[in-house]
Amino acid sequence: MQAGKLRGDADVRSLTLDFLLNLLPHVVNGLSLGLLFALIALGFMLIVGVMEVINLAHGSLFALGAYVALSLMGTSTSAGSYVMALVLAPVAVAAFGLLLELCMRRTYGRDPLYGLLLTFGAALVIEELIRAVWGARERTLAIPEAISGAVLVGDLIYAKYRFFACAVAAALILALWLFIEKTRVGAVIKAGAHDSEMVRALGYNLSRLRMGVFALGTALAAIAGIIMAPIWGIRPHVGVDAVVPAFLIIVLGGVGSFWGAVIAGILVGLVVGLTGAYASEWSLMSMYILFILVVTFRARGLFGRKSALDT
Amino acid sequence: MKRRSLLKAIAAGSATTFMGPWATNHVWAQSAQKKPLVVGLTMDASGQYGASGGEERLGAMMAIKEFNEKGGVLGRTIEALHMDTETTPATGSRVAERMITRNECAFLVGALHSGVANAISQVAQKYGCIFLNTNSSSPTEAGKDCHRTKFVWDGNGTNFAHAIVKNAMKVSGKNWVLLTNDYVWGHNTSKATRALVEANGGKIMDELLIPQNTRDFSAYLIKLQQLKPQVVAAAVGGDDIKALRRQVVQLKLNKNFAFINNQQDWPDVYGLGPEEIFGVFGTNWYYRLDLPGVKEFVDKYQKAYPGVQIKVPGNVYYNGYMATRELLRAVERAGSTNNIKVIKELENLKVPARERMQHFDAYMNPTTHQIQQTIYMATYNDQPAEKDDIFKILASTQPQEAEDKDAPAACKLESYEATPTYEV
């Protein structure tokens, strides 16, 4: 009887170990997916958090970044051309973002709907522009030879490119945080978001500040577009695939909260990754269920600032 | 002039110029000139099947152009009216309702997504308007969701499964995993595949449901790596299959398992790299079939649409063309646009292989309203004769062998009497 119990315990331990070993690759996958989601939301979060503008053109700028990179790279698979595209395309898209910011100036201080409508219109214009310039068919951005192929560790099979993408996402998150928290410009940006009149009174050029933030936000959208292009593919409406999770993530994390957006991105990645493995039909829906659950119990999101209505 | 006034004037001028070409008034004196026949093109221009929707539209437009060049049909010129059905069933219903009630469309043509096709066909049946499902392939379209006014022109999931499954089991093994797009076509196609695999002694290890518009397949691919099947059978379409193919190649999983895609639409692989067109798949037409008429058909496409990105026609274009052509021929034979007369013509349709540019004669099954046609099994062509020659046809299956035997029992067509008369 003792031997039977021991055998039973060993079976349970073995089953648990099997389950954990089976689960582990999906947890790793979920975490990396989360970093990619956070990357997608980064530019969106910056513009919403600092300028209080919901930039619905974020997805289209994401797509534009991928297309500009495609034009710069062509069919080349060299690391040099990829790095060049990763640097130059966001600069080009940021220049486009500056133009968009110029158009948006009349909406500042007015009903947020004006900004929403303007950026929605801009999204449609950019998408049509992409169709006119690059055509409607599916395109592929080549992965540099050095980071193509797969890595197999136990049951975790993963593309080398995804590791690279996650590393870029983590580096950008860290760099942006350092920029906002540890630099003088970052401090002014934060102050501008908090009390624009005071910032003006202190002699800072708020218009230039907003331009800079918007350009940075659009450049981040473009970088996310380039990083995601080899995974998702490129088509004129690919931005829709980006803007919806980006919007969800910043609300889930709490509007204006940097780490809220990052943690929400990782949570969404984990939920999508794990449901994809164990309840696949729910994988896309899972992020919305998570969102509803969080917002039901905590309307301001996970790390959102408390509003007067909460007291 | 003040700046504001100038801007207003420019805006007003632009608006006038812009509105000009769009404001058209059609006044038809029946005695002097016959009213044009309006064909409503219910085709996706956006969403999962946006790219394919554009191709089937070109196919339908080509058939209409050919008829107009010889004077239209029944002395009436043919006009095409297109509205985007957005790969969304609710939009499909709205578009169909509008085309019938407001735009007086005589017929509706086009569908890729089976949910959209089903939605359109319900509206069409309500009014008695003939609807051609050009490219949506759920077996239910000619099964439980069939209608007297609906005719299906593509091969369906069951037809393609018949053409592929047995052979794949012989060559690759009996342990299968199904990747299923989580909507009506995916479900019913995988159901047909499952039935055939199990009937032939195979085993379905798992079925992974993939929500529409999935862009990241990493969780599914890790799962495949864990399950280690011999064959992966995908019923995934549109933009989803493009992303799936890309990510499978990035992981080199195409070298680990045999991949089958039930049906591979041309716009979904056109432009992909050679490595990404892996596995075996079904199709009902290829632009390099060595058959009479194919070359001329391709030349005509290239001459008519020189600026398009897909340089040679594929199965989606072909189905759009064939469906529209046969409809207009049926109107001619019927001598009327009366729906019942045209339906009877289509129900008795037989098209010789030569006219279909396929290997075997095709025929309409009058009990299911699906055209029975040659089904091809294909793979990537590693010795292409030209850049676009990316398919190698491995085998062709006769319509009778590929036929969906369960469809007649599932399909309950409305009677002629229960179908409203419709004539525009």
Side-chain angles (χ1 to χ4, degrees):
Chain A
M1 190 160 162
Q2 187 69 16
K5 186 176 179 301
L6 283 175
R7 206 176 308 123
D9 288 348
D11 286 348
V12 170
R13 271 201 301 278
S14 162
L15 277 174
T16 312
L17 190 65
D18 280 354
F19 175 74
L20 289 175
L21 283 175
N22 187 285
L23 180 71
L24 188 64
H26 296 291
V27 174
V28 174
N29 179 46
L31 287 172
S32 71
L33 256 181
L35 278 173
L36 298 180
F37 275 128
L39 173 67
I40 291 166
L42 215 55
F44 197 84
M45 180 270 296
L46 185 72
I47 292 172
V48 174
V50 175
M51 298 174 68
E52 296 188 339
V53 170
I54 297 171
N55 178 20
L56 287 182
H58 180 79
S60 302
L61 294 163
F62 170 98
L64 190 62
Y67 275 101
V68 175
L70 182 72
S71 290
L72 290 170
M73 278 183 72
T75 53
S76 167
T77 55
S78 77
S81 62
Y82 183 80
V83 172
M84 179 192 68
L86 198 55
V87 172
L88 293 184
V91 172
V93 175
F96 193 89
L98 288 179
L99 287 177
L100 183 57
E101 199 276 337
L102 275 178
C103 300
M104 287 187 58
R105 289 194 174 176
R106 286 186 167 220
T107 69
Y108 295 153
R110 302 175 79 173
D111 189 323
L113 267 182
Y114 286 102
L116 208 67
L117 283 174
L118 193 136
T119 53
F120 179 65
L124 297 179
V125 169
I126 295 167
E127 194 178 316
E128 283 312 308
L129 189 75
I130 288 171
R131 270 184 228 279
V133 176
W134 286 281
R137 85 176 161 89
E138 178 88 6
R139 310 292 285 268
T140 304
L141 192 70
I143 295 177
E145 288 287 347
I147 45 174
S148 66
V151 178
L152 183 62
V153 184
D155 270 344
L156 174 66
I157 186 162
Y158 225 56
K160 286 183 198 167
Y161 181 77
R162 281 189 186 246
F163 286 118
F164 165 78
C166 292
V168 171
L172 276 175
I173 289 167
L174 188 66
L176 189 63
W177 179 77
L178 287 173
F179 173 68
I180 290 177
E181 292 296 326
K182 304 290 178 191
T183 66
R184 188 181 165 80
V185 182
V188 177
I189 287 173
K190 277 200 301 181
H194 191 67
D195 189 344
S196 56
E197 291 304 313
M198 182 57 76
V199 168
R200 255 201 203 106
L202 289 172
Y204 289 100
N205 185 338
L206 198 62
S207 299
R208 197 176 295 165
L209 197 68
R210 281 182 165 148
M211 270 176 78
V213 168
F214 203 85
L216 182 59
T218 51
L220 286 169
I223 292 173
I226 299 164
I227 294 290
M228 295 307 291
I231 301 172
W232 285 1
I234 314 176
R235 63 202 78 85
H237 54 277
V238 72
V240 179
D241 300 330
V243 76
V244 176
F247 191 68
L248 182 143
I249 285 164
I250 59 143
V251 179
L252 185 65
V255 177
S257 167
F258 181 89
W259 289 110
V262 174
I263 291 168
I266 290 173
L267 267 180
V268 167
L270 271 172
V271 166
V272 170
L274 290 174
T275 47
Y278 296 103
S280 56
E281 64 271 40
W282 292 92
S283 66
L284 278 189
M285 183 64 81
S286 62
M287 72 167 92
Y288 301 105
I289 293 173
L290 174 71
F291 176 77
I292 291 166
L293 278 176
V294 170
V295 173
T296 302
F297 295 104
R298 203 176 156 84
R300 62 178 190 268
L302 292 172
F303 298 92
R305 278 170 299 201
K306 204 172 184 180
S307 88
L309 295 173
D310 289 334
T311 55
Chain B
M1 188 184 276
K2 284 184 179 172
R3 183 170 158 270
R4 189 170 292 275
S5 313
L6 178 68
L7 285 174
K8 276 184 185 167
I10 291 171
S14 307
T16 313
T17 315
F18 181 74
M19 294 307 288
W22 303 103
T24 50
N25 294 307
H26 289 179
V27 180
W28 301 97
Q30 291 290 343
S31 56
Q33 189 177 3
K34 284 187 175 175
K35 184 179 169 182
L37 184 82
V38 183
V39 177
L41 304 182
T42 50
M43 294 164 177
D44 301 326
S46 56
Q48 188 180 356
Y49 291 109
S52 288
E55 275 296 290
E56 65 172 3
R57 182 147 59 100
L58 295 183
M61 296 294 291
M62 175 62 85
I64 290 170
K65 181 170 171 269
E66 283 177 4
F67 272 82
N68 277 337
E69 281 170 358
K70 54 181 189 180
V73 66
L74 308 179
R76 295 167 68 177
T77 56
I78 309 157
E79 286 186 356
L81 173 70
H82 172 246
M83 288 184 196
D84 181 8
T85 40
E86 300 174 344
T87 322
T88 307
T91 311
S93 294
R94 250 193 337 267
V95 163
E97 188 84 33
R98 184 187 170 123
M99 282 181 163
I100 294 169
T101 58
R102 285 206 225 166
N103 304 106
E104 295 185 358
C105 289
F107 308 102
L108 303 183
V109 177
L112 277 139
H113 184 283
S114 300
V116 177
N118 185 27
I120 295 170
S121 67
Q122 288 177 25
V123 176
Q125 179 64 31
K126 183 173 80 178
Y127 292 100
C129 178
I130 292 173
F131 162 59
L132 307 187
N133 167 355
T134 43
N135 274 294
S136 97
S137 321
S138 171
T140 49
E141 278 297 284
K144 76 175 181 59
D145 295 329
C146 70
H147 289 291
R148 180 64 68 183
T149 52
K150 173 161 69 179
F151 291 86
V152 180
W153 297 84
D154 197 2
N156 68 24
T158 308
N159 303 145
F160 289 113
H162 276 298
I164 295 172
V165 169
K166 268 191 203 167
N167 187 56
M169 287 183 73
K170 260 187 237 158
V171 175
S172 304
K174 294 193 167 186
N175 292 325
W176 289 45
V177 168
L178 305 175
L179 293 183
T180 306
N181 240 172
D182 195 5
Y183 76 100
V184 62
W185 168 72
H187 284 275
N188 287 289
T189 296
S190 282
K191 191 175 154 194
T193 306
R194 178 187 285 272
L196 279 170
V197 169
E198 289 175 349
N200 288 284
K203 181 186 166 197
I204 302 296
M205 300 170 73
D206 205 346
E207 179 174 359
L208 305 180
L209 294 177
I210 296 173
Q212 281 181 264
N213 301 314
T214 293
R215 290 293 164 269
D216 194 288
F217 291 86
S218 53
Y220 306 103
L221 300 180
I222 292 171
K223 189 86 179 174
L224 286 182
Q225 174 66 18
Q226 291 175 328
L227 290 167
K228 295 186 176 48
Q230 289 168 307
V231 182
V232 177
V236 180
D239 292 342
D240 296 11
I241 187 71
K242 295 175 199 169
L244 173 63
R245 282 186 173 279
R246 183 170 296 115
Q247 290 169 40
V248 165
V249 170
Q250 282 170 12
L251 294 177
K252 309 279 182 208
L253 280 180
N254 49 324
K255 299 194 180 358
N256 294 9
F257 321 118
F259 266 86
I260 288 173
N261 195 33
N262 182 276
Q263 181 188 5
Q264 186 57 70
D265 281 342
W266 185 247
D268 293 348
V269 281
Y270 191 85
L272 292 184
E275 220 190 354
E276 288 165 353
I277 310 172
F278 53 81
V280 172
F281 39 83
T283 186
N284 67 334
W285 193 76
Y286 183 52
Y287 86 98
R288 284 184 66 87
L289 287 176
D290 189 16
L291 293 171
V294 173
K295 193 181 174 308
E296 291 75 15
F297 187 71
V298 175
D299 288 346
K300 216 167 184 177
Y301 171 91
Q302 291 174 329
K303 200 175 160 197
Y305 307 117
V308 295
Q309 298 210 354
I310 296 181
K311 298 296 176 198
V312 291
N315 65 311
V316 173
Y317 172 90
Y318 168 87
N319 287 334
Y321 172 85
M322 282 293 164
T324 313
R325 187 189 76 181
E326 293 309 327
L327 169 74
L328 296 173
R329 283 181 175 180
V331 172
E332 267 182 348
R333 286 195 302 273
S336 163
T337 58
N338 174 276
N339 63 337
I340 302 298
K341 287 181 182 168
V342 178
I343 285 170
K344 286 182 176 170
E345 284 297 332
L346 287 172
E347 284 175 344
N348 292 317
L349 182 68
K350 287 184 176 46
V351 192
R354 194 184 173 86
E355 286 187 24
R356 285 280 298 178
M357 295 177 288
Q358 290 178 323
H359 280 77
F360 305 106
D361 293 348
Y363 56 93
M364 185 64 72
N365 184 331
T367 58
T368 63
H369 281 197
Q370 187 202 7
I371 193 143
Q372 305 303 312
Q373 59 183 307
T374 314
I375 299 292
Y376 297 97
M377 184 166 78
T379 189
Y380 177 69
N381 184 5
D382 52 8
Q383 292 176 319
E386 58 189 14
K387 184 171 164 270
D388 291 327
D389 183 18
I390 52 179
F391 283 6
K392 180 160 74 184
I393 299 294
L394 300 171
S396 56
T397 304
Q398 293 207 35
Q400 293 82 355
E401 287 173 33
E403 199 158 355
D404 181 354
K405 301 284 191 295
D406 297 331
C411 168
K412 308 278 180 232
L413 292 172
E414 297 86 351
S415 65
Y416 296 117
E417 293 73 31
T419 301
T421 304
Y422 188 84
E423 188 170 354
V424 177

